């Protein structure tokens, strides 16, 4: 890499992520195919892999977990497919990779996968063909009796059989593996349906392990008239949806900010093409917050733009309901009495990195330069993907509260905030409905562009000032009168949130559940009049 604008450290990081993608999306699929080929193909592949591993320096070989995972763990678990005549080449490959790892990397892998690492060392240390044969038999036995895979296949059979049963034209399934309790868009749709229609609403939430619960889930998915999800929903990956069933993607993020789905292919934080195809190919409708972003969602899900409907995002109806907003204010003041009479600064950044990395988030504040306004309190609300806690200096104990672990929806905190600090989070779209100041704290803009990138130039999202360090942030916080620009907010809102006007849930239900909802509403009103 000859690009002079990057430091040596940045070059190392870029190379690390590049080779991680090469391993995950190019080499790993080849390994899977080669395991089904002849011993000659396996010998050649192991030999070429050995040459590639030998070319890596210790830093790269030690800091790309996918290399250890796929070459040590995956290959070990599928040793029953490795031909005896390819064993010698596999041993050489294992030895090269093990020698390339530094002590820290070897310890990390052996701690997480002790059995696989022990087997790897056994193979390296002159494993005999008899011992190899015995190990292959053990691996085959374990593979065949893998309960998780057996259950997965059984659930697919239940789903396919359920599609042969009579369809319940009055059944609406609200499906998500990301949440344990109804919230956000699915909660608003649920409440509207129960209040205004006679639809049978079946929430299928979280990840369950009990067979009885999972059996019922696939039964409901197979017999439902409508399936509504809010995210990636893996129980239906690669499955063909029942004829006459509408599978509606009510995506959890408003607007169109960070690229995702098909749009993100090729970026560091992305999935494979096959993964995206299995996840999104069955949608019959996709919902957006405005007609302006229909083309972006069409691209993200690789779906015909005629199937992308801008009814608005149901959960944004909250911002047009004075009673609910007042209840949220009272709830937050009761939980955090120190907020009363204070200027509330809400810091709500998005996550960084791939699924493994995003669990951690470091607060990029120079604490010596962070100068919060008098009579103010900062609330920190991290993305739900961030599971590790952040450290706050003791001297800020009374000025900063981390509310990330509280089971309170982020939209409720937007109500109580006097100013929002964010970066690349889609929360900026909902916040634009409130006509309040916002500051964009984008300290790592350049590196984030390589990680995910945006649908539009970053400046098109800026309806508030952009700052890149703690001093600039402090200056803006202490001069909020100059931060707000109502014309910019209005322009931004009309572009990205045009259909979010307090009636998004009603439009979603009335327009998408079309004839069936009209019948159900009529029945509901008849029942009310009879009572």
């Amino acid at each position: 890499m000859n690009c002079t604008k990057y430091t040596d450290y940045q070059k190392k990081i870029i190379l690390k992520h590049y080779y991680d993608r090469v391993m995950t999306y190019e080499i790993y699929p080849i390994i899977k195919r080669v395991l089904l080929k002849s011993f000659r193909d396996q010998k050649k592949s192991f030999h070429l892999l050995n040459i590639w591993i030998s070319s890596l320096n210790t830093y790269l070989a030690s800091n790309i977990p996918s290399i250890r995972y796929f070459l040590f763990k995956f290959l070990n678990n599928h040793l029953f497919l490795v031909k005896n005549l390819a064993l010698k080449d596999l041993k050489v490959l294992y030895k090269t990779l093990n020698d390339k790892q530094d002590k820290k990397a070897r310890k990390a892998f052996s701690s997480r996968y002790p059995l696989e690492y022990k087997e790897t060392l056994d193979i390296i240390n002159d494993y005999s063909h008899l011992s190899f044969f015995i190990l292959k038999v053990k691996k085959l036995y374990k593979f065949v009796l893998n309960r998780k895979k057996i259950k997965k296949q059984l659930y697919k059979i239940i789903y396919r059989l359920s599609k042969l049963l009579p369809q319940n034209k009055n059944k609406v399934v609200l499906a998500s593996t990301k949440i344990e309790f109804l919230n956000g868009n699915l909660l608003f749709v649920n409440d509207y349906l129960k209040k205004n229609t006679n639809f049978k609403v079946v929430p299928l939430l979280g990840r369950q392990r009990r067979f009885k619960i999972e059996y019922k889930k696939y039964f409901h998915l197979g017999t439902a008239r409508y399936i509504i999800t809010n995210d990636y929903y893996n129980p239906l990956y690669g499955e063909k949806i029942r004829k006459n069933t509408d599978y509606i993607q009510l995506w959890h993020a408003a607007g169109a900010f960070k690229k995702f789905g098909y749009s993100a292919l090729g970026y560091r934080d992305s999935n494979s093409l096959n993964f995206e195809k299995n996840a999104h190919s069955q949608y019959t409708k996709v919902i957006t917050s405005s007609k302006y972003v229909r083309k972006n969602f069409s691209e993200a899900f690789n779906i015909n733009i005629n199937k992308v409907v801008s009814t608005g995002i149901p959960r944004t109806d909250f911002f047009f309901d004075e009673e609910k907003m007042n209840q949220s204010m009272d709830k937050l003041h009761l939980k955090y009495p120190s907020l009363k009479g204070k200027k509330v600064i809400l810091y709500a950044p998005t996550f960084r990195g791939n699924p493994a990395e995003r669990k951690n988030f470091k607060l990029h504040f120079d604490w010596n330069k962070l100068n919060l306004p008098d009579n103010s309190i900062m609330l920190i609300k991290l993305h739900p993907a961030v599971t590790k806690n952040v450290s706050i200096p003791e001297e800020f104990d009374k000025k900063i509260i981390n509310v990330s672990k509280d089971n309170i929806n982020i939209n409720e905190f937007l109500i109580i905030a006097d100013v929002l600090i964010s970066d690349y989070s889609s929360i900026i779209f909902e916040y634009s409905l409130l006509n309040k100041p916002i500051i964009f704290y984008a300290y790592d803009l350049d590196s984030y562009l390589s990680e995910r990138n945006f649908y539009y130039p970053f400046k098109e999202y800026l309806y508030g000032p952009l700052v890149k360090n703690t001093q600039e942030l402090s200056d803006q916080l202490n001069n909020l009168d100059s931060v707000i620009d109502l014309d910019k907010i209005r322009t931004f809102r009309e572009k990205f949130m045009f259909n979010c006007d307090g009636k998004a849930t009603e439009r979603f239900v009335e327009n998408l559940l079309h004839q069936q909802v009209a019948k159900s509403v009529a029945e509901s009103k008849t029942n009310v009049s009879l009572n």
Side-chain angles (χ1 to χ4, degrees):
M1 182 176 291
N2 298 318
C3 189
T4 57
K5 71 176 183 178
Y6 295 109
T7 65
D8 289 342
Y9 174 75
Q10 288 174 325
K11 292 177 184 178
K12 286 166 67 176
I13 297 298
I14 292 172
L15 277 174
K16 183 182 81 167
H17 291 304
Y18 169 73
Y19 281 121
D20 181 59
R21 291 190 60 81
V22 168
M23 185 71 230
T24 303
Y25 298 119
E26 296 181 33
I27 296 177
Y28 168 56
I30 294 173
I31 292 174
K32 289 198 296 184
R33 291 197 294 270
V34 163
L35 288 176
L36 302 176
K37 301 291 185 178
S38 69
F39 80 89
R40 291 185 179 87
D41 291 323
Q42 291 185 2
K43 283 173 67 68
K44 183 178 180 180
S45 298
F46 293 154
H47 176 67
L48 291 174
L49 275 171
N50 184 59
I51 294 174
W52 181 64
I53 295 296
S54 300
S55 70
L56 301 179
N57 58 37
T58 300
Y59 172 81
L60 289 173
S62 301
N63 287 277
I64 305 175
S66 61
I67 293 180
R68 294 191 296 275
Y69 182 86
F70 292 125
L71 295 187
F72 282 166
K73 187 176 187 300
F74 177 79
L75 269 179
N76 271 358
N77 288 340
H78 294 79
L79 279 177
F80 58 89
L81 294 173
V82 176
K83 306 298 188 290
N84 286 348
L85 292 176
L87 173 60
K88 183 178 178 180
D89 298 88
L90 179 64
K91 288 167 64 173
V92 173
L93 171 62
Y94 275 0
K95 187 176 189 308
T96 300
L97 178 55
N98 192 58
D99 291 345
K100 279 281 185 177
Q101 308 281 306
D102 60 28
K103 185 177 180 181
K104 182 179 178 182
R106 286 196 292 267
K107 183 178 179 181
F109 186 80
S110 62
S111 297
R112 187 168 185 182
Y113 304 110
L115 177 61
E116 286 83 355
Y117 190 63
K118 179 182 181 301
E119 292 169 345
T120 299
L121 294 180
D122 287 342
I123 292 172
I124 291 172
N125 295 325
D126 205 23
Y127 216 52
S128 69
H129 281 284
L130 176 59
S131 300
F132 185 56
F133 175 74
I134 294 172
L135 182 58
K136 286 173 66 175
V137 172
K138 289 181 179 178
K139 293 293 182 181
L140 178 59
Y141 177 78
K142 185 176 180 181
F143 179 82
V144 171
L145 295 183
N146 187 313
R147 291 178 62 191
K148 185 176 180 181
K149 290 186 177 180
I150 292 174
K151 281 186 176 181
K152 188 174 182 180
Q153 292 304 315
L154 184 57
Y155 294 146
K156 287 181 179 291
I157 292 172
I158 293 171
Y159 173 67
R160 291 165 189 174
L161 289 175
S162 296
K163 290 193 294 182
L164 301 176
L165 298 174
Q167 185 183 52
N168 185 339
K169 297 186 181 298
N170 213 37
K171 184 190 292 184
V172 178
V173 166
L174 305 178
S176 177
T177 57
K178 304 288 187 179
I179 56 176
E180 298 292 336
F181 305 97
L182 281 174
N183 62 39
N185 290 326
L186 297 187
L187 177 61
F188 274 79
V189 172
N190 174 79
D191 291 349
Y192 185 92
L193 288 174
K194 287 189 172 181
K195 182 179 179 181
N196 298 287
T197 76
N198 284 334
F199 275 107
K200 178 183 179 181
V201 182
V202 181
L204 301 178
L205 309 176
R207 299 176 184 271
Q208 303 292 336
R209 296 185 180 275
R210 293 172 57 191
F211 175 77
K212 186 176 180 180
I213 296 176
E214 287 292 280
Y215 153 73
K216 288 183 178 179
K217 175 169 77 177
Y218 285 92
F219 165 76
H220 287 307
L221 290 171
T223 57
R225 174 63 180 86
Y226 301 96
I227 302 172
I228 303 171
T229 190
N230 65 342
D231 210 315
Y232 287 81
Y233 189 63
N234 60 4
L236 291 178
Y237 283 4
E239 286 297 319
K240 188 174 182 180
I241 302 301
R242 179 179 186 145
K243 187 178 180 181
N244 296 326
T245 291
D246 278 313
Y247 186 21
I248 303 172
Q249 175 58 260
L250 188 52
W251 191 246
H252 59 278
F257 204 161
K258 297 171 290 190
K259 289 190 174 184
F260 65 99
Y262 282 81
S263 304
L265 291 175
Y267 289 97
R268 182 166 71 86
D269 182 22
S270 66
N271 301 306
S272 67
L273 174 62
N274 189 55
F275 180 91
E276 297 294 354
K277 182 179 179 181
N278 285 334
H280 307 308
S281 62
Q282 300 296 331
Y283 301 145
T284 57
K285 287 288 187 293
V286 171
I287 309 306
T288 69
S289 55
S290 77
K291 62 181 180 181
Y292 184 77
V293 300
R294 288 176 66 218
K295 58 183 179 294
N296 307 121
F297 278 72
S298 172
E299 175 188 290
F301 295 126
N302 193 32
I303 190 173
N304 189 299
I305 196 168
N306 292 327
K307 294 182 179 181
V308 183
V309 186
S310 52
T311 62
I313 306 301
R315 70 169 181 269
T316 61
D317 290 351
F318 169 75
F319 297 107
F320 299 87
D321 190 325
E322 290 291 336
E323 183 179 354
K324 285 185 177 179
M325 288 195 294
N326 288 333
Q327 288 173 354
S328 292
M329 290 278 283
D330 293 339
K331 179 174 71 175
L332 290 172
H333 281 141
L334 185 63
K335 186 172 180 63
Y336 305 104
S338 59
L339 299 182
K340 289 183 178 180
K342 298 290 180 64
K343 182 167 291 188
V344 178
I345 302 165
L346 176 62
Y347 180 39
T350 193
F351 59 82
R352 304 294 195 275
N354 60 41
E357 296 167 335
R358 64 186 57 163
K359 296 177 182 178
N360 298 285
F361 184 87
K362 181 181 178 183
L363 293 174
H364 280 257
F365 292 141
D366 182 339
W367 297 104
N368 293 322
K369 294 182 179 180
L370 183 61
N371 178 25
L372 299 179
D374 294 336
N375 200 38
S376 69
I377 287 184
M378 176 184 283
L379 303 180
I380 296 177
K381 182 70 171 175
L382 301 178
H383 191 280
V386 180
T387 57
K388 302 293 179 65
N389 208 355
V390 292
S391 59
I392 300 171
E394 189 176 338
E395 59 266 31
F396 285 92
D397 275 354
K398 295 183 178 180
K399 294 284 287 183
I400 298 178
I401 305 173
N402 185 3
V403 298
S404 303
K405 301 297 182 183
D406 293 341
N407 190 27
I408 299 176
N409 191 281
I410 180 66
N411 285 350
E412 297 188 73
F413 285 106
L414 295 183
I415 297 299
I416 204 169
D418 293 292
V419 58
L420 172 67
I421 304 170
S422 195
D423 43 22
Y424 327 112
S425 170
S426 64
I427 198 65
I428 69 168
F429 297 106
E430 279 97 331
Y431 190 70
S432 70
L433 299 172
L434 297 173
N435 288 323
K436 294 196 287 189
I438 184 173
I439 300 171
F440 291 82
Y441 184 33
Y443 54 83
D444 58 349
L445 178 59
D446 293 337
S447 62
Y448 197 87
L449 286 171
S450 67
E451 179 176 302
R452 185 83 78 89
N453 210 338
F454 310 124
Y455 281 103
Y456 301 96
F458 188 53
K459 65 180 181 180
E460 290 193 26
Y461 300 103
L462 300 178
Y463 61 94
L466 170 65
V467 299
K468 293 191 174 183
N469 59 57
T470 308
Q471 185 60 60
E472 292 176 353
L473 176 63
S474 296
D475 291 343
Q476 292 292 347
L477 287 173
N478 285 278
N479 191 25
L480 286 180
D481 289 342
S482 66
V483 168
I484 190 166
D485 187 328
L486 293 177
D487 289 335
K488 277 188 176 182
I489 295 174
R490 188 181 306 108
T491 301
F492 177 89
R493 184 173 61 244
E494 289 179 355
K495 179 186 291 187
F496 292 106
M497 302 291 285
F498 183 80
N499 295 102
C500 299
D501 56 2
K503 295 185 179 297
T505 308
E506 179 182 345
R507 263 196 308 274
F508 168 76
V509 173
E510 302 290 343
N511 291 350
L512 294 177
L513 309 194
H514 43 263
Q515 300 166 352
Q516 190 67 22
V517 78
K519 178 182 176 183
S520 190
V521 169
E523 291 174 353
S524 178
K525 290 179 178 178
T526 301
N527 291 338
V528 170
S529 63
L530 289 174
N531 291 333

